[in-house]
Amino acid sequence: MRIHFKTSYAHDIRLFPDRWTLSIYGTLLLLAFALPYLLDEFFLGEVTNVLIWAIAGLGLMLLTGQTGQASLGHAAFLAIGCYANTILIEQGVPFIIAFPLAGVLTGVIGVIIAIPVLRLHGIYLAIATIALSVLADDIIVLTEPWSGGVSGKFPEMITIFGFEIERWSMPSRFYYLVLVVTIICTLFYRNLLRSPLGRAFAAVRDSEVSATAMGVHIARTKGKAFGLSCMITGWAGALMGYYAGTFNNETFSLVISITLLMMIVIGGLGSIHGAFFGAVVVAFLPQALSILKDNVVGSGVAIPGLETGVFGMILILFILFEPMGIYGRWLKIRTWFELFPFARKDMFRRQKSYLKTERLR
Amino acid sequence: MSLLEIKNATLKFGGVVAVNDLSFSVEEGEVYAIVGPNGAGKSTAFNLISRFYEPFAGSFIFDGTNLLDCEADQVADLGIARTFQNIELFEHATVLQNLLVGRHRHRKTTLLEEMFFTPRVRREEERHREAVEEVIDFLDLQPYRNKMIAGLPYGVRKVVELGRALASKPRLLLLDEPASGLSVEETQDMRWWIDDIRKQMGITVLMVEHDMGLVSGVSDRVLALADGAKLAEGTPAEVQANPAVIEAYLGAGAV
Ligand SMILES: Nc1ncnc2c1ncn2[C@@H]1O[C@H](COP(=O)(O)OP(=O)(O)O)[C@@H](O)[C@H]1O
Ligand SMILES: [Mg+2]
């Protein structure tokens, strides 16, 4: 059993509450930096893919998990980030400026879109944001001279002060770039969570009425969440562009939006861990399935819709049996070990002590 | 000048006149209670003060500021905090985080500073935490500090909600039925807390409450409401003895 004594308020504010967590995350970080020496190029590419999805997941998690606003339009923001980055670099802006700027631009566009869209709630919001995904496709085709339309675009090689990075020929350099962006995004996310704004997000998610009564401006807070979410998503989009090597109007489709949303639900809503766990599932599921399929029915046979079907199935199982996602399951297992042998079966069961009403009286 | 002055407030929901030409004022430092049967318009009066509803008519002045010039979120900035009849907490957050949201109106840092968690943000966080810990000590919430709201019993939630309002260090505290659903002991605690909130913290309290024991125990003045209109106003004893009040509570012919 692990017990920590807190001796000052700073304890709860720290990034890592105690030595133990610090050492775990420290080891994880070391491992992440040593990975190019441990894995071959194929698997390093796969891990890079996981990290890019995790960044995108963090982006959507901030909006959906933290602030409670579902979006099925985030593929559009992946696209905006990707195209903005590529076009800026084509215009001669160096990567080190173009890349951050692409995210910021995506964030600004996100805020502008958020103003009308975030008046909607729940499923209506989700439906409205579908339009974004669909629209993005059309806009890319319409703005052909800039975007390359249907024939698409190839991002140029990244150079940072003369140092070259390319996904295929230098996978470990590209991996390090993605890793650094992942760490920065995770830190931003974590910092927000322990600040007034992060708490305002949670307040808006759980009760708009009492958030307002405590002085939280609902529309402004949602707007900030949307902007920050889109910024992170934009960065993920830019990296996806590099990872894919080429992209066009169909790369960032509605399917990507849906996958992203399913990913954070499966991973565990409202937690940083959830974004990473979900990303692992999304990135490795196609591989695992194709290996499984090859062994079971032979490699020649194609099963259309297999991935989507299995993915949807996993989602349904999670919603039914573990609404807290993989992270929630992980917490339970960890608590069981920490308290061993004192864990009780119904420890995580919630007490239904009152019914929430929509009315104020 | 009164701390809160409401004049001729009226609000209708369709055909129902929820608040009908209601006027009352709350003096700085007092505990002012509103009583009345269900549906009398007590909560609606609170929601008008909170600016959740737009009144049809009336003036609402808080310490010289016209509340009608404020948006609902700006009311907190003036120093008005409240609780809700059907507890409205942030379910998927801990008690500590809930109380810290109460500090929202005292935040000073910007989005950019918070993203980088600058030393100033850290200092501010420690300051907020200190203020919240005072509330935790005051309300004996220590055992629940890091518990999720979603698993807490009703009585504790009620106290957490009071704590969240107190954490904002308000000048005026609105309590909508603070003792409803509480056990006798819990109600007793609530009584001492309200007393201390007024006496030690110097916070003015405006509360809606059915429990006449609690009302006469803590309040200086009582307003009886029926069908959205004022029935009687005075000391707890005066209001309880008022024939119109007795009739409204017990029905015609009971006197
Ligand atoms: N949001 C609303 N929509 C319609 N009618 C409402 C609403 N809120 C309150 N009412 C009506 O206004 C009247 C006063 O309600 P309320 O202020 O909640 O009474 P109470 O004194 O019990 O708190 C009731 O008749 C109620 O049905
Ligand atoms: Mg009421």
Side-chain angles (χ1 to χ4, degrees):
Chain A
M1 235 173 119
R2 182 157 51 96
I3 298 168
H4 37 241
F5 293 101
K6 296 178 181 172
T7 47
S8 88
Y9 299 149
H11 258 106
D12 284 340
I13 298 172
R14 271 185 213 151
L15 264 188
F16 306 103
D18 52 31
R19 289 244 172 83
W20 170 250
T21 25
L22 177 67
S23 61
I24 286 196
Y25 286 101
T27 316
L28 203 65
L29 203 64
L30 274 180
L31 191 71
F33 273 100
L35 217 54
Y37 303 98
L38 305 173
L39 290 181
D40 67 16
E41 292 192 350
F42 172 76
F43 280 106
L44 193 63
E46 290 304 305
V47 175
T48 310
N49 191 26
V50 169
L51 291 184
I52 296 174
W53 274 100
I55 299 171
L58 284 176
L60 185 59
M61 189 69 88
L62 194 64
L63 185 67
T64 304
Q66 231 59 51
T67 321
Q69 314 298 309
S71 165
L72 281 170
H74 262 50
F77 299 107
L78 288 171
I80 294 173
C82 182
Y83 278 93
N85 179 56
T86 309
I87 293 171
L88 280 171
I89 288 176
E90 281 174 359
Q91 299 303 313
V93 183
F95 175 82
I96 195 82
I97 296 172
F99 182 77
L101 197 60
V104 173
L105 266 173
T106 315
V108 170
I109 295 173
V111 171
I112 294 169
I113 292 175
I115 295 166
V117 168
L118 285 177
R119 287 175 174 269
L120 301 169
H121 286 257
I123 192 77
Y124 303 102
L125 174 65
I127 292 168
T129 51
I130 288 180
L132 288 179
S133 281
V134 179
L135 241 121
D137 186 336
D138 293 336
I139 289 174
I140 293 168
V141 175
L142 287 174
T143 55
E144 226 241 85
W146 292 344
S147 67
V150 182
S151 42
K153 263 191 182 305
F154 306 88
E156 288 174 16
M157 184 186 280
I158 304 167
T159 49
I160 302 176
F161 303 119
F163 185 79
E164 294 183 330
I165 302 174
E166 214 268 329
R167 151 144 173 55
W168 296 106
S169 56
M170 319 162 200
S172 47
R173 285 189 186 180
F174 185 63
Y175 166 77
Y176 280 124
L177 172 71
V178 173
L179 182 62
V180 168
V181 178
T182 312
I183 293 170
I184 291 173
C185 289
T186 311
L187 281 178
F188 278 168
Y189 197 119
R190 182 79 170 84
N191 285 343
L192 285 175
L193 284 196
R194 51 187 180 147
S195 312
L197 187 59
R199 290 192 293 267
F201 286 166
V204 168
R205 174 191 65 198
D206 289 351
S207 167
E208 290 192 9
V209 182
S210 58
T212 308
M214 295 333 295
V216 178
H217 191 287
I218 303 295
R220 218 173 286 150
T221 308
K222 283 184 185 173
K224 281 181 187 168
F226 213 84
L228 288 167
S229 161
C230 290
M231 179 174 80
I232 296 176
T233 309
W235 284 327
L239 292 174
M240 272 183 191
Y242 287 116
Y243 187 80
T246 170
F247 48 88
N248 68 359
N249 60 319
E250 287 176 351
T251 309
F252 303 102
S253 61
L254 181 58
V255 175
I256 301 284
S257 285
I258 296 172
T259 309
L260 206 52
L261 189 59
M262 292 215 256
M263 179 179 110
I264 60 168
V265 174
I266 291 174
L269 280 176
S271 67
I272 294 174
H273 294 77
F276 282 86
F277 286 140
V280 172
V281 175
V282 164
F284 285 128
L285 189 72
Q287 254 69 347
L289 278 180
S290 84
I291 294 170
L292 202 72
K293 191 198 68 169
D294 289 355
N295 288 332
V296 178
V297 292
S299 55
V301 193
I303 308 176
L306 177 70
E307 258 173 51
T308 334
V310 172
F311 204 57
M313 196 88 132
I314 295 178
L315 182 72
I316 291 170
L317 290 177
F318 266 102
I319 289 176
L320 285 179
F321 299 111
E322 189 54 271
M324 304 291 287
I326 299 175
Y327 182 56
R329 175 53 49 180
W330 158 247
L331 281 184
K332 286 173 199 170
I333 295 170
R334 199 183 66 185
T335 311
W336 189 85
F337 276 109
E338 276 178 10
L339 295 181
F340 185 83
F342 300 113
R344 281 181 294 119
K345 204 173 170 202
D346 55 352
M347 242 164 77
F348 284 87
R349 185 161 301 156
R350 287 194 177 157
Q351 210 161 333
K352 285 205 183 64
S353 46
Y354 87 123
L355 287 169
K356 199 174 162 66
T357 60
E358 287 291 307
R359 306 185 74 180
L360 295 169
R361 56 206 164 103
Chain B
M1 195 182 60
S2 311
L3 186 63
L4 177 72
E5 194 161 1
I6 296 175
K7 277 196 189 130
N8 310 104
T10 299
L11 180 72
K12 296 177 193 157
F13 292 109
V16 182
V17 189
V19 172
N20 191 1
D21 198 27
L22 178 66
S23 304
F24 67 94
S25 52
V26 181
E27 305 301 324
E28 179 119 44
E30 75 173 333
V31 175
Y32 190 98
I34 303 180
V35 300
N38 276 324
K42 307 178 297 292
S43 297
T44 307
F46 270 24
N47 290 334
L48 282 169
I49 299 169
S50 296
R51 298 290 287 122
F52 289 144
Y53 298 145
E54 201 60 45
F56 279 38
S59 83
F60 298 73
I61 311 290
F62 175 74
D63 193 30
T65 310
N66 184 357
L67 284 177
L68 298 183
D69 291 340
C70 296
E71 294 291 324
D73 65 287
Q74 295 168 329
V75 172
D77 293 336
L78 295 177
I80 301 180
R82 68 169 290 177
T83 65
F84 295 84
Q85 185 175 344
N86 301 308
I87 311 176
E88 283 280 345
L89 286 168
F90 310 121
E91 284 288 299
H92 305 285
T94 62
V95 169
L96 186 61
Q97 287 166 330
N98 268 268
L99 298 183
L100 281 168
V101 176
R103 300 289 303 163
H104 191 81
R105 78 181 187 102
H106 299 285
R107 80 201 177 286
K108 290 183 183 143
T109 46
T110 62
L111 167 66
L112 218 57
E113 287 173 287
E114 290 175 17
M115 269 171 87
F116 289 94
F117 213 78
T118 58
R120 199 165 92 99
V121 178
R122 182 179 299 274
R123 269 199 312 277
E124 284 295 303
E125 277 305 299
E126 279 172 18
R127 217 172 50 91
H128 292 322
R129 180 65 189 273
E130 235 170 77
V132 162
E133 284 300 326
E134 276 171 26
V135 174
I136 289 179
D137 283 344
F138 175 66
L139 297 175
D140 292 326
L141 280 170
Q142 296 90 343
Y144 306 104
R145 199 186 272 116
N146 291 310
K147 293 247 161 53
M148 284 280 177
I149 301 296
L152 292 180
Y154 182 88
V156 180
R157 287 166 185 240
K158 220 76 202 168
V159 180
V160 174
E161 214 193 16
L162 173 63
R164 185 180 61 186
L166 284 178
S168 79
K169 286 222 157 60
R171 291 184 60 196
L172 176 66
L173 182 62
L174 310 181
L175 303 175
D176 199 346
E177 307 205 6
S180 76
L182 296 188
S183 69
V184 179
E185 294 80 24
E186 287 168 333
T187 307
Q188 204 48 249
D189 283 341
M190 192 57 80
R191 183 191 159 153
W192 303 132
W193 283 327
I194 294 174
D195 251 351
D196 285 350
I197 287 168
R198 183 249 301 264
K199 289 190 186 123
Q200 288 178 16
M201 305 185 178
I203 297 171
T204 309
V205 178
L206 171 58
M207 70 169 185
V208 165
E209 183 50 57
H210 283 298
D211 187 324
M212 278 319 278
L214 180 62
V215 168
S216 30
V218 296
S219 35
D220 302 295
R221 286 193 300 153
V222 179
L223 166 74
L225 213 58
D227 298 323
K230 186 193 279 191
L231 211 56
E233 190 183 17
T235 63
E238 282 166 12
V239 169
Q240 264 177 303
N242 187 307
V245 174
I246 297 169
E247 186 171 318
Y249 263 97
L250 301 174
V255 188

